[in-house]
Amino acid sequence: SNTVCKPPLLIAFYSGGFTAGQGRNFLRSFLKYASGEGFPEHLVADHASELNQPPTSFNEYTGHIAEQVDAVDGPTRTVIIVAHSLGGRGAYGLAQRLGQRCLALYVVECRPPSI
């Protein structure tokens, strides 16, 4: 088979309090560096309040982000998730939703949820 193994999709959640534009600007240097280190594809996950139709629940929000992930290469692509501050809440939820597809989760300045 000629299947090419792609590196995991890098998903980044920016800090709470940022607009989508501010969040992308905050992540720009990191994503540029990651591209040069073997992660050329990334998805920036916007906060629920930044979406055109804000979700009515946390589960709906993580489902929306999961749909964006699946739209890149289908429902089998592995991911690595990075998040800062309140972006970590969505990151924890997405990691739980994606299960084994999430190869790593890196969260800075956000405590994990109680399980």
Side-chain angles (χ1 to χ4, degrees):
S1 140
N2 286 343
T3 303
V4 175
C5 184
K6 290 186 173 188
L9 177 66
L10 182 63
I11 303 168
F13 288 79
Y14 49 84
S15 304
F18 283 165
T19 64
Q22 291 168 329
R24 282 171 173 68
N25 189 51
F26 176 77
L27 292 168
R28 183 173 288 125
S29 295
F30 170 76
L31 294 173
K32 183 177 180 182
Y33 179 80
S35 291
E37 293 297 315
F39 297 94
E41 289 183 278
H42 64 266
L43 171 71
V44 175
D46 289 318
H47 295 299
S49 61
E50 289 294 304
L51 303 176
N52 289 335
Q53 294 184 346
T56 58
S57 69
F58 185 72
N59 190 51
E60 186 180 335
Y61 169 65
T62 58
H64 172 78
I65 302 300
E67 287 174 5
Q68 290 182 314
V69 172
D70 291 350
V72 175
D73 272 324
T76 59
R77 178 86 179 264
T78 57
V79 303
I80 291 177
I81 303 173
V82 297
H84 180 257
S85 188
L86 286 177
R89 292 172 55 189
Y92 287 120
L94 181 64
Q96 183 178 31
R97 181 179 279 270
L98 295 179
Q100 292 183 349
R101 288 176 59 193
C102 181
L103 301 180
L105 169 64
Y106 300 98
V107 178
V108 178
E109 296 186 4
C110 182
R111 292 182 182 176
S114 298
I115 297 177

